[in-house]
Amino acid sequence: DIHSTNMKSIICPALCEAPGSLSVVGAPVFTDAICQQIEEFIEKKVSVIVINPVDGENKKIQQALRRAHKKKIKIIAVDSQLSDSSYIDSSIVSDNFRAGKLSAQYLMKHDQAANILVLRHWNALSVKERYAGFLATLDSTKYQVTQNVETLGQTDIALKQTLKTLQQGNKKFDAIMALDDQSAIGALAALDSLALKDSIPVYGIDGSSDMKKLLLSDPNAKATVAQSPIALGKKVVQTCYQLFDQRKVK
């Protein structure tokens, strides 16, 4: 079972090449809804839960996963980590620090100096790693993060928060760094609604298909750091079967 809408596109192609059944549920924002989904997985007696833990420090989610693990259900965390991994059988992640680093390098290559608005989902440990890589790479004498805005990794929240921030007008931003593509898409929608075309470059991370399309059509869309979802999906499926067969995983 998968707990992430984005993970569906990652896992499904790989699973088609292997035996097994797949149950996909959407990933809600609210903790209680996430915990309820995990409890339903426990009731179904699934073999493996694959979760994209967007709030890696949430105690309720960790407790729900711990209950699943006690029921002999294997737990795989994908694309982000949990702060307590004692009950996680495997974590499969990309190099999030490097993703932030590449974003900073590309931004500095195209802008001589910048005041930067950062959109982030701060409860996601992967986002914290991306942010750390981004800050560690920026030349602080020319580039400053002048404001951080919470988006929960949701496009609609990013749209509202970006609109609110830009309409306040008390700060000038030369670039918007969104630490996930969903937030970047929300920021681009905000700029479009304000008729600010080709005005503030927006950078994302994930390499999602929607963001790639916007890079071709929206002049404000500057870049996204792409991951390899197909390779990630194959690794997840491989790990599922290794765990199911009681084999060790790296």
Side-chain angles (χ1 to χ4, degrees):
D1 283 62
I2 297 177
H3 185 269
S4 170
T5 51
N6 290 336
M7 288 299 102
K8 180 178 179 180
S9 61
I10 292 174
I11 305 287
C12 287
L15 191 62
C16 289
E17 302 173 6
S21 61
L22 178 69
S23 174
V24 179
V25 296
V29 175
F30 301 108
T31 298
D32 289 345
I34 295 172
C35 292
Q36 179 59 38
Q37 289 178 344
I38 295 171
E39 294 297 338
E40 290 172 2
F41 289 162
I42 295 172
E43 291 177 9
K44 289 180 180 179
K45 298 181 180 180
V46 301
S47 302
V48 183
I49 293 176
V50 180
I51 182 169
N52 176 216
V54 292
D55 187 348
E57 297 179 333
N58 188 283
K59 299 302 181 185
K60 286 186 177 181
I61 294 174
Q62 291 182 12
Q63 289 169 1
L65 289 172
R66 195 174 286 111
R67 286 193 293 273
H69 195 256
K70 286 181 179 179
K71 295 291 185 179
K72 308 301 182 183
I73 297 173
K74 304 299 184 182
I75 310 295
I76 300 177
V78 181
D79 198 39
S80 189
Q81 306 96 320
L82 289 133
S83 58
D84 179 5
S85 61
S86 60
Y87 54 91
I88 302 299
D89 295 283
S90 181
S91 293
I92 302 172
V93 297
S94 54
D95 190 339
N96 287 297
F97 186 91
R98 184 170 181 269
K101 178 180 179 179
L102 290 172
S103 296
Q105 289 175 338
Y106 193 83
L107 188 152
M108 290 188 294
K109 182 179 178 180
H110 291 83
D111 293 285
Q112 294 183 348
N115 291 321
I116 305 164
L117 169 64
V118 171
L119 307 181
R120 63 187 193 180
H121 179 197
W122 199 236
N123 285 334
L125 297 183
S126 59
V127 168
K128 291 184 178 181
E129 291 182 358
R130 293 172 180 181
Y131 189 65
F134 184 71
L135 288 186
T137 308
L138 282 180
D139 179 353
S140 60
T141 64
K142 298 179 181 179
Y143 305 87
Q144 291 84 36
V145 174
T146 53
Q147 189 167 342
N148 293 292
V149 172
E150 176 62 52
T151 66
L152 297 177
Q154 302 294 311
T155 298
D156 56 340
I157 297 176
L159 166 59
K160 294 174 184 176
Q161 291 289 72
T162 303
L163 274 175
K164 179 181 177 181
T165 302
L166 295 178
Q167 288 174 332
Q168 286 174 346
N170 55 353
K171 293 180 181 178
K172 178 182 180 296
F173 299 105
D174 305 300
I176 296 175
M177 179 67 234
L179 295 174
D180 62 84
D181 277 353
Q182 294 303 310
S183 296
I185 292 168
L188 289 167
L191 292 171
D192 185 60
S193 69
L194 294 172
L196 296 174
K197 294 189 180 296
D198 202 14
S199 58
I200 305 177
V202 176
Y203 300 81
I205 297 179
D206 282 331
S208 68
S209 58
D210 288 338
M211 186 63 182
K212 288 178 180 178
K213 291 176 183 177
L214 287 168
L215 290 174
L216 299 174
S217 61
D218 191 323
N220 288 318
K222 193 69 173 180
T224 179
V225 175
Q227 301 183 78
S228 179
I230 294 175
L232 191 65
K234 288 183 177 180
K235 184 64 176 178
V236 169
V237 172
Q238 179 188 46
T239 303
C240 284
Y241 283 97
Q242 286 176 332
L243 291 171
F244 184 72
D245 293 336
Q246 305 298 321
R247 287 180 283 160
K248 290 184 179 180
V249 296
K250 295 181 180 180

